[in-house]
Amino acid sequence: MFTLFYVLLVSSSLGISDYNIIKTFQNSYQNVWKTFEAQTKAERDLFLNESFPPSFQWATSSESFKVEGGWLEGGKGETIWDRFGHDGLAFVNQTADRACDSYHKVDYDVYLLRGLHVNTYQFSISWARIFPSGHRGSQSENGPLYYDKLINALIESGVQPVVTLYHWDLPQTLQDYGGWTNASIAEAFKDYADFCFSRFGDRVKAWNTFSSPWVVSHAGYGTGEHPPGVKDYVVASYQATHNMLKSHAEAWHVYNDKYRKVQGGKVGIALNSDWAEPKDPSRPEDIEAADRYLQFMLGWFAHPIFVNGDYPPTLKTQIENKIKDCPLSEPARLPVFTAEESQRISGTADFLGLNHYTSRLINNSVGACTPGPQGVGDFQAHVDPSWSSTASDWIYSTPWGLRRLLNYISTEYLNVTKVPIYITGNGMPTEQSGETLNDIGRIEYMKSYINEALKAIFIDGVNVQRFTVQSLMDGFEGKQAYSQRFGLHHVNFEDADRPRSPKQSAYFYSQLIKRNGFGSHEEHTFKGSRMEKASASGTSLLTLLSEFTIK
C-alpha cells in the first residue's frame, strides 16, 4: 500500500518506540492518520515535480441534467430535477430546461474535449430520456440516438467514453411511487442498465452505476435539500441507500452474466467522500469520531460492496446503541440485508470511483436522539478558518486530504480485491460574477489536488489510474442553478446559443495532460530509482522532495 512513504517517515523522524506504537494500531483509519500525523506542514505541502504513469487516464466530466437541456425533446420524460426547477426551488427560479443545450451541441462539446487533450470523458445518461416513465415498456426511440451520436463522436476523436447510469435525475414517474424508497426500483434499474449495456456497450468500456449516491440519500431523502425533497433521516434515507446498493448489485450482475465476456468492459460505482481529520489530535475520542464520520459517509456504501455485503460494524453498532438509548424517539432505522442479498452485493465492482472535493475537522460529541449522521454518529464537523474558501459554502481547499483519503481507501477496502481507484470527480466552483475566464483560484485548486494524487501513486504506491476534473463546462448546479461555475469552459447562459469559452484553467489542464503531470518521463525514471535507494538508506522524505524544482 504506502510502504515506501512509511519506511521513509519512520526512518527519518520517528524512534523505535514510536514505530512499535504505530504497529499496534489495527484500525485502518488510525493507521493511516497516525502515519500522516507525523508529517510537518512543510513535508505535507511539498510539491512533487514528477510524471504520472504512461497509461494514466486524464478526464473531464458532465452530468445529464446539468448540461443537456432539451428537457421534453425526443420523448424524454420528466425527472425529479425538472420538477424541482419548475417548482421554483432553484436559485432565482432558474431551470435546466435549456441548460448548456448539449442535446443539440454534440460536435461543439467534443471539439472542446479535443482542445483539452483529455483521453477520457465521463458523462451521465438521463434515465428518463431512455425510458420516460422509468420502465422498459416506455422506451423512447429517439432518446438513445443522442447518446449514440455522442459516443460515436468521442470515439472518432480518440476519447474514451465513461458512462454513469445514474446521476440524481430520477424519472418523476418512479418517484411518484416512492423512488429509491420503493424496493421495486431495483428491478426497474436493472432493466434500464440492461438496455444501456446492450445498446452502448459495444463502444463503452467503463460504467459507473451511480455517482455520489450518498448525496441522494442524504440530501434527497434525509435533509430534503435536493429533490425529491423528502425530509426523513429516520427511515427514508437509510431505505434509499439500501435499495441503491441492491440496484447497483443487480446492474453489475447483469453485465457480468450477459455482456462482460463479449464486451470486455468494467462496471463500478463512484462514491463521494470527504477526508476526516480529528479536530484535536491529542484526544483519542476525536480520532474515533473522525473514523465514524468516514463510516457514515463512505463506509455506508463502500463496505457492503468492497468488504462483505453488509454495512460497517461501526455504523451498525452506533445505530443499535442509539436505539437502546432513545426508546421514545427512534433516531434511525437501518434495514437488514438477507444472507442472499449480502452475497449478491459483495464484490460487485471492478473499480472504486471517488468523488472528492474537501475535508473536515471532526470532534466527538453527544448527539442525543437527533436523527442524521452527526446526531446518530456522535460527531460534529468543522472547517479550519485558514483553509481557502470557494464559491461553495461546503468546499474548502484541503488538497492534502485527498492523499490521506486515497491511502485510507486502499487499506480499508482494496487490500483484498485490489481493484483500481478512479478519481471520478474533483473540482471547485467560482461565483457567476467572479473570475470568469481568468480563474486562477481553480488552477491552484486543480494543481494542488492533482499533485496530491500523484504523491499517493508515486510515493505511497496507491493504484490510482484516472483523474477527472469537474467539469467540462459551466452548468445547472442544482439549488445554485447557474450562480456557481464549475466549468473549465465558461458558458454564456444569457445567449440563446450558449457559446462556450475556455478559461485559463482549461489551458492549464491541457498543458498538464500534454506533459502527463509535472515532470518529464526521463525525470520520472531517474527519480523513481532515487526513491527506492532513499527508502533503503533512510534518507528523509523532506530532503528528497526538496531537490525537486517547484514549478
Side-chain angles (χ1 to χ4, degrees), residues 201-516:
D202 59 328
R203 291 152 289 162
V204 175
K205 303 304 176 185
W207 301 86
N208 302 312
T209 54
F210 291 84
S211 182
S212 296
W214 179 87
V215 178
V216 177
S217 297
H218 171 75
Y221 293 87
T223 65
E225 298 172 81
H226 286 187
V230 176
K231 299 178 181 180
D232 180 7
Y233 231 126
V234 177
V235 177
S237 182
Y238 295 99
Q239 192 63 54
T241 294
H242 204 66
N243 290 328
M244 280 191 282
L245 285 166
K246 291 195 288 185
S247 299
H248 158 82
E250 290 308 310
W252 186 90
H253 283 290
V254 164
Y255 191 85
N256 196 54
D257 296 343
K258 295 179 63 175
Y259 301 102
R260 186 185 300 277
K261 186 175 181 179
V262 174
Q263 296 180 358
K266 293 183 177 182
V267 178
I269 189 167
L271 303 176
N272 65 290
S273 184
D274 307 332
W275 169 248
E277 191 84 357
K279 191 170 188 292
D280 184 347
S282 69
R283 300 180 73 227
E285 54 266 43
D286 280 7
I287 298 173
E288 293 173 6
D291 184 15
R292 289 198 301 275
Y293 182 92
L294 288 178
Q295 296 296 348
F296 270 76
M297 179 176 277
L298 180 60
W300 196 9
F301 292 87
H303 198 276
I305 295 170
F306 294 94
V307 181
N308 67 353
D310 198 5
Y311 297 114
T314 298
L315 179 71
K316 293 169 66 176
T317 300
Q318 193 72 18
I319 291 175
E320 289 167 4
N321 290 339
K322 282 290 177 178
I323 292 172
K324 292 176 185 176
D325 294 341
C326 305
L328 302 179
S329 176
E330 185 179 25
R333 190 182 305 168
L334 185 67
V336 177
F337 292 115
T338 66
E340 183 181 358
E341 287 170 342
S342 289
Q343 185 177 13
R344 193 133 179 99
I345 292 168
S346 182
T348 54
D350 303 317
F351 58 84
L352 190 154
L354 175 65
N355 298 334
H356 173 77
Y357 307 90
T358 193
S359 298
R360 289 292 183 267
L361 297 176
I362 307 299
N363 69 278
N364 183 66
S365 68
V366 179
C369 298
T370 307
Q374 295 203 138
V376 176
D378 286 332
F379 56 75
Q380 289 183 335
H382 311 266
V383 297
D384 189 318
S386 70
W387 294 350
S388 298
S389 61
T390 69
S392 168
D393 59 5
W394 67 273
I395 298 179
Y396 290 79
S397 182
T398 52
W400 45 267
L402 174 58
R403 180 181 175 188
R404 299 179 186 196
L405 181 60
L406 290 170
N407 274 274
Y408 171 78
I409 288 171
S410 183
T411 55
E412 178 77 353
Y413 303 116
L414 308 182
N415 59 341
V416 175
T417 60
K418 304 297 183 184
V419 299
I421 300 171
Y422 298 153
I423 296 175
T424 44
N426 174 259
M428 57 153 279
T430 55
E431 298 285 355
Q432 177 180 1
S433 57
E435 300 172 327
T436 304
L437 297 179
N438 189 26
D439 55 345
I440 301 301
R442 176 175 287 109
I443 292 174
E444 288 303 313
Y445 179 98
M446 290 169 56
K447 183 178 180 181
S448 299
Y449 273 87
I450 292 171
N451 199 253
E452 290 298 320
L454 177 62
K455 291 179 189 177
I457 297 167
F458 193 73
I459 300 173
D460 309 333
V462 180
N463 186 16
V464 182
Q465 297 184 1
R466 182 191 304 154
F467 198 103
T468 307
V469 171
Q470 182 180 330
S471 55
L472 175 61
M473 68 193 102
D474 298 332
F476 182 85
E477 295 297 335
K479 281 181 63 177
Q480 288 73 36
Y482 305 111
S483 67
Q484 291 187 1
R485 307 299 186 101
F486 271 89
L488 294 167
H489 295 84
H490 174 266
V491 178
N492 183 356
F493 294 105
E494 303 300 318
D495 188 323
D497 198 42
R498 300 296 197 263
R500 291 91 150 108
S501 303
K503 303 176 186 179
Q504 286 296 322
S505 57
Y507 292 110
F508 165 79
Y509 194 38
S510 174
Q511 291 302 309
L512 184 70
I513 293 170
K514 282 184 178 180
R515 295 177 57 190
N516 196 36

Side-chain angles (χ1 to χ4, degrees), residues 60-198:
T60 188
S61 65
S62 69
E63 293 80 40
S64 51
F65 78 89
K66 294 185 179 184
V67 302
E68 284 181 6
W71 83 280
L72 271 183
E73 295 189 53
K76 177 182 167 293
E78 184 186 21
T79 73
I80 57 175
W81 277 98
D82 292 325
R83 178 73 61 88
F84 182 84
H86 296 156
D87 285 346
L89 298 175
F91 179 75
V92 297
N93 298 320
Q94 291 173 333
T95 74
D97 290 0
R98 192 181 188 99
C100 304
D101 201 27
S102 286
Y103 185 69
H104 298 108
K105 297 185 180 300
V106 168
D107 292 339
Y108 197 165
D109 291 349
V110 174
Y111 169 77
L112 299 179
L113 291 165
R114 289 200 302 269
L116 282 177
H117 302 289
V118 292
N119 49 33
T120 307
Y121 180 51
Q122 176 180 284
F123 64 93
S124 68
I125 290 177
S126 174
W127 189 344
R129 202 178 288 285
I130 303 296
F131 296 167
S133 76
H135 293 287
R136 186 184 290 272
S138 66
Q139 180 183 328
S140 165
E141 293 297 324
N142 293 321
L145 295 175
Y146 164 67
Y147 298 109
D148 278 329
K149 182 177 180 181
L150 174 58
I151 291 166
N152 291 341
L154 290 170
I155 291 172
E156 289 169 6
S157 295
V159 179
Q160 174 191 350
V162 173
V163 172
T164 300
L165 292 172
Y166 186 77
H167 194 110
W168 308 358
D169 50 347
L170 188 71
Q172 181 62 44
T173 304
L174 290 179
Q175 182 55 43
D176 292 341
Y177 290 94
W180 290 109
T181 64
N182 188 327
S184 69
I185 199 170
E187 191 64 27
F189 186 76
K190 176 183 176 181
D191 285 345
Y192 162 58
D194 192 356
F195 174 87
C196 290
F197 296 149
S198 174

